[in-house]
Structure formats: structure tokens, C-alpha cells
Amino acid sequence: MARMIPSVISEEDAIKSPAEATVFEWLRNMSWGNATVLHSLPLKDHIRNSFGEIDFVVICEKGILCLEIKGGGVERKDGLWGFTGRRGTTWKNQGPYAQVQGNMKSLKTYLD
């Protein structure tokens, strides 16, 4: 099993993002050696934004994996990304791939 930091997902976070709560449990129950998983890692020195957050950072012998979790519907139309959750669809220019890349680069810059 993976070491989780924090050790449990807060009730507030689970309500805010049931998808993250599901992935939290999946990652906790992984059997892939000495993995440590950080949930909701804040990035105060983001390379593009004033603030960022990585949903999950998996640290293991093979390397570091950053995950961006999207629940509900995800679609791309006319160059825009749409995310449908409990409050309806929100359209953004930046998709989950660019979001996690910026977060990953910010973390790498910080660690370097």
C-alpha cells in the first residue's frame, strides 16, 4: 500500500471532488513498492500563475508522477476545454494536460 500524505482525504475535499476521493482510495491501495502519494499539493511559486495545486504527486523508485483529476464530463470543442460538474459546464482555454504540465514544471523548478 502507498503511504498517503495526508493519511486520509478530508470530508470537505471528498464532497468538493468525489473523483479525487475515488482516486485517493485507488492510490492508497496500490501495491507497487514504497510509493508515497501527496494529495492536493499547493504550489506558491507557479511558473505561470500566482498559485497552483497538484491533485496528486506519486513518488516512487521509478520517478515522480503528477496527476490532474477531472470528474464529471470532459470535452474539447473549438479549441476550448469543457468540464461538466454539479454546477454545469465551465469552458476554459487550458486543458488538463497543460494544467498538469505547468504544475509539474513548477514543482521541478522548486525542487531544482
Side-chain angles (χ1 to χ4, degrees):
M1 289 178 53
R3 176 176 175 226
M4 303 299 289
I5 300 174
S7 60
V8 296
I9 189 167
S10 72
E11 186 176 331
E12 179 183 338
D13 284 343
I15 291 169
K16 183 178 80 173
S17 178
E20 282 187 34
T22 298
V23 172
F24 187 96
E25 291 306 318
W26 288 344
L27 293 172
R28 175 204 304 278
N29 293 315
M30 289 185 315
S31 57
W32 60 352
N34 290 331
T36 298
V37 179
L38 309 175
H39 174 245
S40 195
L41 180 69
L43 301 167
K44 69 179 186 83
D45 295 322
H46 196 278
I47 60 172
R48 285 191 298 260
N49 305 322
S50 59
F51 178 82
E53 176 198 38
I54 303 175
D55 292 339
F56 291 97
V57 180
V58 180
I59 305 164
C60 66
E61 291 86 5
K62 300 284 185 179
I64 298 174
L65 174 67
C66 299
L67 300 172
E68 176 61 32
I69 307 305
K70 298 294 183 197
V74 179
E75 64 181 305
R76 185 170 164 87
K77 185 164 90 175
D78 298 328
L80 295 176
W81 286 88
F83 306 100
T84 305
R86 293 181 297 251
R87 296 181 195 96
T89 302
T90 301
W91 291 95
K92 297 182 179 183
N93 288 326
Q94 186 181 51
Y97 302 116
Q99 184 178 356
V100 79
Q101 280 181 336
N103 289 339
M104 179 192 67
K105 287 178 184 175
S106 298
L107 177 61
K108 184 176 181 330
T109 299
Y110 173 78
L111 292 174
D112 286 344

